[in-house]
Amino acid sequence: MILRKRQRVIANAADSGAVEMESTSDVGGGMPMSERTRQVLSIVNESTKWAVSAAAAGFLLWKHNERAAWCILGSIFNSVTGKILKRLINQSRPPLSRKVDPGMPSSHALSLAYFGTYSSLTILLWQGLKPSAVIAAICAQALTAFFAWLRIALGYHTPAQVLVGCAVGNVVAISWLAIGERKVLPAIASPDGALLRVALFLSTTLLVVAFVAYALRKWTQDLPFFDRWRR
């Protein structure tokens, strides 16, 4: 229902001349800006999912310990939570959005808030309130806020969808970190924690592989080359 409704909105807007290429274009909705600015911000926006994925993979490979695995496992739980909420709420994106799937909550904001908050709290947990640690945590939050704002500026989400995504991501990050530090990681470090450690790494590995396969499948569906190849 949402897909058909949004397709009709976009088609009607195109037929009525609502979408025009101008120097201060608002093609696709969002905030008014020049076409050049929109193109640059779109490139930055599209790069976030790959940057976050690469950072998560790099962190896991660099640390390859229980804390890294627990963090990545939480990010997958966070993403699945967002997908479930999207289906349950089933709220459409803003008019003229380039995407037609439900937009509440924003998946980008959800993931960005999770990693931003988790990394900030972890830095402060490990380093304390040292100036360098505080600055790093503030920078992580600032980047999260900027990339989340891009989803509104480019018309992919309403402010409410981004705010809810950030709120859910923050709650999951704080809860997941607390559970890990207070329950799971101490249990793994105990003399009887070998089996739990194996279960943590095995489940994280399997879920990461499944998540990457899903992401690649979804990504190739949006590329014209793969669309022609499938036909």
Side-chain angles (χ1 to χ4, degrees), residues 86 92 187 193:
K86 273 193 173 186
S92 61

Side-chain angles (χ1 to χ4, degrees), residues 204-224:
T204 301
T205 301
L206 293 176
L207 287 174
V208 166
V209 170
F211 188 79
V212 169
Y214 168 79
L216 288 175
R217 180 176 176 273
K218 188 175 180 180
W219 177 58
T220 55
Q221 288 176 343
D222 297 332
L223 295 179

